[in-house]
């Protein structure tokens, strides 16, 4: 593990002022670099950004210093930041006339246009100057796609307490600090806690309680309203890299984390994770992950991607830069990954999201556990859609078919209708309802379903709408009432229809 000392955070507000004054922000970077150079950084390509920062403005200097991690002159550094303080506090090192950064400082735009900064190890911000490609055990990464995905799916409602388990560079704790009275962040890597402290201080956020340890051990018997975790979920032979390898066999770390979370949630609380899980011969992946759901919790499990074992091994060998080592060493490590998968009967690995919610209905023996595969595009942030999903599950548990027919519904605002068929045909072959927001689902409906959804404006109960449709289509209204509630239930569950309660929809 790296033993490099990290900057002091006491005077971080002064550095923050200098960074913002120089427009070293997410918006400022995009404007200065231009879209092509900005996008190239995400691919670890630095030449366009170097060309765009050839002048000596404070912003050019800060980009080269902290993002591209190139030395700058002392005069340029002094014009961009409080140089003496930054040297004394350890943010930069001065050797003669040259100044170099000791950490990666990356602008990050908050959900309400806040100017935040994520601090991580040099060269280890995803899309940073050198990509990840690190084989150092205790390296702390910056912001990557997994981090922003978890931040986007997290339910953002005001809460008294939040736990960021496996905090890394602190991005989840930073988000949680905006809507939680008390934030606790844990990590098995003490350097990660130091980086989280820097990220919070440099972003102007309230400090968090920082605890070292694995899984829930550091927090004892504490319970929380929100738990988030982007854990070291990679299924690997051994625990070589702290930031990604969980140190347990197979997907045991993710399973253990999910199982233990139920006892750490307050009533109504959410726990949200990214995870990998094995696809094992003779077992459905849905059954495997459902078995992790703790008693007393509802769950929504979404598989976003699946890779066969060779793709998976190659991805993570490249992540750590092993493909750039001695070919014989690379081949040996590749073999060890495949040996591990073969021993466990693993043919593929799934990646996705798991959301738990502690509920009285689940505790009473009526949990809602939905496990589905959804590799399609979604619209972030999904936090509101995830919260609405669980509200709809509550509604459906409380309403039998008779109650559904007496209920009022509205068509969700983002839903459009598409008719599919041959050009010139009198009637479409089928009708599709499509969501343009959130999960962006689409579902085929028959003529009854299309007609029903089209007139749902909350003014009439579902049963009366069906009676009118039966009359128009010359159908038996009793039979139509008998066969339609299941279709209504599915449209509600997937968010095409919104139940109306006390004059307002659940959304």
């Amino acid at each position: 593990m790296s033993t490099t000392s990290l900057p002091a955070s006491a005077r971080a507000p002064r550095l923050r002022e200098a960074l913002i004054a120089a427009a070293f922000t997410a918006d400022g970077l995009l404007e200065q670099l231009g879209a092509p150079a900005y996008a190239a950084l995400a691919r670890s390509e630095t030449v366009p950004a170097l060309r765009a920062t050839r002048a000596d403005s404070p912003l050019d200097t800060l980009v080269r210093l902290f993002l591209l991690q190139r030395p700058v002159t002392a005069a340029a550094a002094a014009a961009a930041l409080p140089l003496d303080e930054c040297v004394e506090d350890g943010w930069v090192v001065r050797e003669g006339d040259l100044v170099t950064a000791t950490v990666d400082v990356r602008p990050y735009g908050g959900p309400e246009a806040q100017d935040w900064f994520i601090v991580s190890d040099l060269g280890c911000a995803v899309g940073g100057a050198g990509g990840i490609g690190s084989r150092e055990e205790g390296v702390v990464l910056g912001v990557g796609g997994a981090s922003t995905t978890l931040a986007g799916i997290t339910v953002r409602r005001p809460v008294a307490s939040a736990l960021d388990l496996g905090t890394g560079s602190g991005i989840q704790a930073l988000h949680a600090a905006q809507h939680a009275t008390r934030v606790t962040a844990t990590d098995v890597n003490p350097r990660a806690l130091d980086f989280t402290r820097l990220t919070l201080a440099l972003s102007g956020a309230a400090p968090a309680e920082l605890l070292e340890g694995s899984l829930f051990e550091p927090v004892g018997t504490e319970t929380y309203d929100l738990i988030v975790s982007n854990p070291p979920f990679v299924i690997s032979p051994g625990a070589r890299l702290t930031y990604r390898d969980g140190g347990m066999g197979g997907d045991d770390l993710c399973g253990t984390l999910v199982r233990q979370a139920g006892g750490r949630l307050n009533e109504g609380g959410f726990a949200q994770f990214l995870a990998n899980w094995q696809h094992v011969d003779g077992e459905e992946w849905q059954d495997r992950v459902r078995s992790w759901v703790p008693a007393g919790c509802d769950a929504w499990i979404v598989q976003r991607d699946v890779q066969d074992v060779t793709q998976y091994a190659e991805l993570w060998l490249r992540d750590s830069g092993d493909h750039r080592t001695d070919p014989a060493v690379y081949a040996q490590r590749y073999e060890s990954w495949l040996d591990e998968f073969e021993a466990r009967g693993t043919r593929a690995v799934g990646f996705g999201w798991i959301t738990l919610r502690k509920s009285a209905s689940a505790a009473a023996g009526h949990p809602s556990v939905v496990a589905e595969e959804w590799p399609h595009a979604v619209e972030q942030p999904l936090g509101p859609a995830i919260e609405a999903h669980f509200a709809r599950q509550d509604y459906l548990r409380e309403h039998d078919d008779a109650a559904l027919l007496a209920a009022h519904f509205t068509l969700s605002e983002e839903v459009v209708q598409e008719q599919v068929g041959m050009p010139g045909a009198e009637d479409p072959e089928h009708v599709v309802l499509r969501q343009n927001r959130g999960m962006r689902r689409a579902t085929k409906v028959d003529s009854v379903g299309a007609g029903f959804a089209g007139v749902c404006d909350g003014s009439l109960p579902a049963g009366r709408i069906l009676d009118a449709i039966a009359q128009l289509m010359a159908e038996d209204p009793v039979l139509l009432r008998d066969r339609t509630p299941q279709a209504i239930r599915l449209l509600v569950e997937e968010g095409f229809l919104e139940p109306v309660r006390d004059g307002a929809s659940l959304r």
Side-chain angles (χ1 to χ4, degrees):
M1 181 176 296
S2 175
T3 57
T4 305
S5 60
L6 297 180
S9 60
R11 290 188 286 192
R14 288 259 297 153
L15 176 56
R16 171 180 170 80
E17 290 174 5
L19 299 180
I20 293 176
F24 186 66
T25 62
D27 290 341
L29 281 183
L30 181 58
E31 182 176 348
Q32 179 75 357
L33 300 181
Y38 191 82
L41 273 181
R43 303 190 299 270
S44 298
E45 295 290 349
T46 60
V47 172
L50 284 167
R51 290 175 61 85
T53 56
R54 287 178 290 190
D56 288 328
S57 73
L59 179 54
D60 293 325
T61 298
L62 292 171
V63 171
R64 285 178 168 253
L65 181 65
F66 287 122
L67 261 65
L68 305 180
Q69 286 135 36
R70 301 299 178 94
V72 300
T73 67
L81 45 75
L83 180 57
D84 291 341
E85 287 184 9
C86 288
V87 170
E88 184 178 343
D89 290 348
W91 293 95
V92 298
V93 173
R94 179 173 180 175
E95 295 181 353
D97 189 47
L98 293 180
V99 175
T100 56
T102 62
V103 291
D104 184 296
V105 176
R106 190 152 302 257
Y108 177 78
E112 297 180 1
Q114 300 101 321
D115 291 320
W116 290 345
F117 300 93
I118 309 301
V119 189
S120 64
D121 271 314
L122 290 173
C124 293
V126 177
I132 301 175
S134 176
R135 294 181 295 279
E136 218 178 325
E137 178 190 348
V139 70
V140 177
L141 303 187
V143 179
S147 301
T148 55
T149 293
L150 180 57
I153 69 172
T154 300
V155 174
R156 302 292 176 195
R157 54 179 186 161
V159 294
S161 57
L163 171 64
D164 175 14
L165 194 152
T167 186
S169 56
I171 180 175
Q172 309 306 330
L174 178 57
H175 276 279
Q178 312 308 304
H179 63 103
T181 303
R182 176 174 61 90
V183 176
T184 300
T186 71
D187 206 290
V188 70
N189 182 1
R191 279 173 55 79
L193 301 177
D194 290 333
F195 273 115
T196 294
R197 183 180 294 108
L198 295 174
T199 289
L200 294 173
L202 198 56
S203 298
E209 179 186 29
L210 304 175
L211 302 174
E212 181 182 349
S214 178
L215 296 176
F216 290 100
E217 179 272 329
V219 300
T221 59
E222 285 286 328
T223 57
Y224 299 87
D225 302 312
L226 173 67
I227 299 171
V228 292
S229 183
N230 177 16
F233 53 66
V234 176
I235 300 171
S236 59
R240 192 159 59 100
L241 299 173
T242 303
Y243 73 86
R244 70 169 202 193
D245 302 325
M248 296 185 184
D251 52 18
D252 287 353
L253 182 135
C254 291
T256 300
L257 179 60
V258 174
R259 290 187 186 99
Q260 292 182 355
R264 309 305 176 119
L265 281 175
N266 294 325
E267 179 66 23
F270 285 88
Q272 300 186 262
F273 315 98
L274 301 186
N276 276 179
W277 42 78
Q278 297 166 227
H279 285 225
V280 178
D281 290 330
E283 177 185 53
E284 295 296 329
W285 74 264
Q286 295 94 331
D287 294 337
R288 183 180 191 85
V289 185
R290 282 193 191 103
S291 73
W292 298 351
V293 177
C297 287
D298 301 317
W300 188 12
I301 302 156
V302 181
Q303 180 167 273
R304 295 287 288 155
D305 190 23
V306 182
Q307 291 184 316
D308 66 50
V309 292
T310 60
Q311 292 173 311
Y312 189 82
E314 291 162 13
L315 169 68
W316 294 109
L317 287 168
R318 283 179 170 81
D319 168 80
S320 56
D322 286 309
H323 62 302
R324 295 193 292 267
T325 62
D326 181 332
V329 174
Y330 174 78
Q332 183 181 22
R333 285 184 172 152
Y334 199 152
E335 286 275 6
S336 69
W337 283 68
L338 297 185
D339 288 343
E340 175 79 5
F341 288 132
E342 184 177 353
R344 293 182 176 275
T346 303
R347 53 183 169 78
V349 177
F351 166 81
W353 321 321
I354 300 174
T355 299
L356 305 178
R357 186 195 57 165
K358 194 155 191 177
S359 77
S361 294
H366 306 288
S368 165
V369 179
V370 176
E372 61 177 321
E373 186 164 9
W374 191 255
H376 312 293
V378 299
E379 183 188 55
Q380 288 276 31
L382 271 174
I386 288 176
E387 188 171 13
H389 165 88
F390 286 95
R392 293 194 298 268
Q393 295 300 319
D394 286 343
Y395 179 89
L396 292 172
R397 278 186 294 210
E398 295 166 2
H399 289 72
D400 59 16
D401 288 354
L404 282 182
L405 292 174
H408 296 238
F409 301 93
T410 60
L411 187 66
S412 297
E413 292 180 1
E414 72 276 9
V415 173
V416 297
Q417 177 178 300
E418 300 174 358
Q419 299 189 90
V420 181
M422 295 297 294
E426 183 176 347
D427 296 312
E429 293 178 11
H430 59 262
V431 176
V432 174
L433 299 181
R434 186 178 302 277
Q435 300 169 351
N436 288 321
R437 306 291 297 276
M439 293 292 284
R440 292 179 172 168
R441 296 185 188 276
T443 187
K444 286 198 293 187
V445 292
D446 60 15
S447 55
V448 173
F452 181 85
V455 298
C456 277
D457 61 3
S459 61
L460 293 174
R464 287 186 58 187
I465 294 174
L466 290 177
D467 291 344
I469 292 174
Q471 185 174 4
L472 286 172
M473 300 182 67
E475 288 202 29
D476 185 330
V478 175
L479 293 179
L480 192 60
R481 278 176 172 255
D482 284 344
R483 66 179 172 87
T484 304
Q486 187 57 39
I488 296 175
R489 194 171 291 276
L490 180 62
L491 291 175
V492 171
E493 180 175 355
E494 295 190 342
F496 292 95
L497 294 179
E498 293 290 337
V500 176
R501 277 183 172 174
D502 300 325
S505 71
L506 295 182
R507 184 176 293 273

